[in-house]
Amino acid sequence: MDLQLSGRVAVVTGASKGIGLAVTRTLLAEGSRVLAASRKSTPELDALSGTGLLHVAADLMDPEAPGQIVARAVEEFGGLDILVNNAGGPPPGVALPRFSFLAPTDDDWRAMFEFNLFSVVRAVRAAIPPMLQRGGGAIVNVSSGSARLPAAMNVDYNAAKAGLNNLTKALSEEFAPQGIRVNTVSPGPVRTAWWTEEGGAADILAAQVGTDRDSVMDRVAPEMMKLSTGRLAEPQEVADVIALLASPRSASTTGADFAVDSGFLKEI
């Protein structure tokens, strides 16, 4: 199916690995021009380099960074059609999961909201004017199934993502009549660096339950999170839904939340 994305300009945050890398690769394959933003590049992102891809090193904990990223995309490619706010999860230097409300400090809460909510607010604020100049656009915010399933584990992260869902609905209500569609995609556990890197979630859970990291990803986490498919999702599976929501093929889809979570969220 032609997603009608050829020639469109996209900004993807957190683009160097995981879901962001898969989104960048998919949009490029569909003919889009992509500004890929991340703190640093990776060999996998470098392998995509060529016409249509621009990597910009940026730290979204810097309040000026989101606006600078959008401005660079407009300068380089002449406008903006798509914004994928994918960067999120543990702020730089933070390891998750945390297992209790009492674990995060005030500074932890501030950092979590800065990375997972405020950076999105700033990116959207910068993106809306150039999108309006082009007659509209599509914004996809990567949230989490945990935004709708409160728990003591990672309570600060869950609250930030719940705020992101609320923000997305509000943005859609205001800007859909002007041609800008805003949706969320809510993954469950995905085989990204959050889980797989040394010291990441798999290692932390392995230490907690007394097993090894591979067993956590292959068996323990799917069972603990009651995943209907019995496995963690792959980044490309999330990226495919994001690309569809960015596409004009989804012209009547706005203010919606799409779960790509292996059956994690059971509630209606």
Side-chain angles (χ1 to χ4, degrees):
M1 179 173 65
D2 179 10
L3 294 182
Q4 302 173 7
L5 291 171
S6 181
R8 295 181 184 268
V9 177
V11 166
V12 180
T13 65
S16 63
K17 53 190 175 182
I19 295 169
L21 177 66
V23 171
T24 298
R25 183 185 295 115
T26 302
L27 293 178
L28 288 170
E30 292 292 330
S32 297
R33 293 170 290 172
V34 181
L35 185 147
S38 61
R39 287 193 299 277
K40 58 184 179 180
S41 190
T42 59
E44 294 81 5
L45 182 59
D46 291 341
L48 302 177
S49 64
T51 304
L53 176 65
L54 172 67
H55 175 253
V56 171
D59 181 356
L60 293 179
M61 297 295 283
D62 176 0
E64 301 299 320
Q68 292 169 350
I69 291 166
V70 171
R72 183 68 188 280
V74 173
E75 176 187 358
E76 185 75 17
F77 297 125
L80 183 64
D81 304 295
I82 299 163
L83 171 63
V84 180
N85 287 304
N86 165 72
V94 174
L96 295 180
R98 300 185 180 109
F99 296 98
S100 169
F101 165 78
L102 297 176
T105 65
D106 280 3
D107 286 343
D108 292 327
W109 276 88
R110 291 188 189 98
M112 191 65 72
F113 271 68
E114 189 74 35
F115 193 45
N116 287 278
L117 182 60
F118 299 153
S119 68
V120 175
V121 169
R122 294 168 182 136
V124 172
R125 184 186 293 137
I128 284 175
M131 284 186 175
L132 291 176
Q133 290 177 4
R134 308 254 289 194
I139 299 172
V140 183
N141 296 325
V142 178
S143 184
S144 168
S146 297
R148 296 169 58 195
L149 191 63
M153 185 182 293
N154 300 332
V155 61
D156 49 345
Y157 171 77
N158 302 344
K161 290 300 191 182
L164 179 60
N165 286 10
N166 188 292
L167 170 67
T168 298
K169 289 279 191 181
L171 289 168
S172 175
E173 185 68 16
E174 180 173 359
F175 292 102
Q178 300 176 64
I180 299 177
R181 298 180 298 104
V182 192
N183 295 285
T184 52
V185 171
S186 291
V190 183
R191 282 186 179 266
T192 64
W194 180 349
W195 284 85
T196 61
E197 283 186 344
E198 185 175 351
D203 285 340
I204 294 172
L205 284 173
Q208 186 79 7
V209 302
T211 187
D212 61 89
R213 63 198 321 274
D214 289 335
S215 295
V216 165
M217 288 187 284
D218 294 340
R219 178 181 56 81
V220 175
E223 290 177 359
M224 181 185 301
M225 303 179 79
K226 299 178 181 179
L227 303 184
S228 302
T229 64
R231 65 174 179 84
L232 275 62
E234 297 295 333
Q236 188 62 52
E237 295 169 332
V238 184
D240 289 341
V241 177
I242 292 172
L244 181 59
L245 289 172
S247 163
R249 294 277 190 175
S250 299
S252 291
T253 303
T254 188
D257 178 40
F258 284 76
V260 188
D261 64 359
S262 305
F264 167 66
L265 189 66
K266 312 296 185 185
E267 287 73 13
I268 295 173

